[in-house]
Amino acid sequence: IIRSLQLHGKDLDIEKSITEILEKIKDESARQHLPVLIDKIEKDLAYKFPLSDHIKSINGARRIYVHRSKLVDTEKFVLKYIQHYLVVDDGTQELRMSDALGKILPKGGMVKLKRELKELSFSKGESISVGVKDLADIAMTSLSFIQDVASKEQQYVSAFLKK
């Protein structure tokens, strides 16, 4: 078990300091809008999250929904997300993830996850509306993004400490 980490010529007691480090990151992050925060993290990591444009789009839809009474206030708004499918066996059966819940698949079969880009376009003055299945896919897109961000946590903390 590692209790300290060599950083810039001095020891860092992990048990004592990790909470302080994460709180500092959290405090800095809480003051930033999500698209700005994503850009900052990508810059710090020198890494482009594959779903960052989708999350910025989803956040834009949230902003329109909450702060603009659901009405698009730009000439055009595109909501980007990923539709998730389960492809069963040889590809003869394809179930949208939201339709697959509760289904029983045969023992010994092969299941693959398939992802497709989905875009919904809205014009100025149009109300943003999505169906339940689309909302489930938006949630899955968000979860996939969160998993990608979480996989970079250690790298980001190291980059943060070098500042």
Side-chain angles (χ1 to χ4, degrees), residues 25 28 34 51 63 65 80 85-86 89 114 117 137:
I25 292 172
E28 284 186 11
L34 184 61
L51 296 176
R63 181 191 59 79
Y65 194 87
K80 299 177 185 180
Y85 296 90
L86 287 179
D89 290 324
K114 176 181 165 186
L117 174 62
D137 284 320

Side-chain angles (χ1 to χ4, degrees), residues 29-64:
S29 301
R31 294 187 296 267
Q32 297 178 22
H33 294 287
L34 184 61
V36 173
L37 182 59
I38 290 171
D39 290 343
K40 180 185 180 309
I41 292 170
E42 287 180 334
K43 182 180 176 203
D44 289 347
L45 291 174
Y47 173 79
K48 170 84 169 146
F49 291 105
L51 296 176
S52 63
D53 291 338
H54 299 73
I55 294 302
K56 290 176 185 179
S57 172
I58 292 167
N59 185 65
R62 181 206 59 81
R63 181 191 59 79
I64 292 167

Side-chain angles (χ1 to χ4, degrees), residues 58-90:
I58 292 167
N59 185 65
R62 181 206 59 81
R63 181 191 59 79
I64 292 167
Y65 194 87
V66 172
H67 300 291
R68 303 289 181 257
S69 301
K70 305 178 195 175
L71 299 177
V72 174
D73 58 349
T74 58
E75 286 305 311
K76 183 178 179 181
F77 176 76
V78 178
L79 174 58
K80 299 177 185 180
Y81 59 97
I82 304 295
Q83 277 189 341
H84 296 80
Y85 296 90
L86 287 179
V87 180
V88 182
D89 290 324
D90 59 359

Side-chain angles (χ1 to χ4, degrees), residues 4-34:
S4 62
L5 176 66
Q6 189 69 32
L7 299 167
H8 301 291
K10 68 178 187 177
D11 287 338
L12 172 69
D13 183 340
I14 297 292
E15 289 180 323
K16 179 179 166 189
S17 301
I18 196 69
T19 302
E20 294 170 16
I21 292 164
L22 293 175
E23 283 299 318
K24 187 173 180 184
I25 292 172
K26 182 179 164 186
D27 289 346
E28 284 186 11
S29 301
R31 294 187 296 267
Q32 297 178 22
H33 294 287
L34 184 61

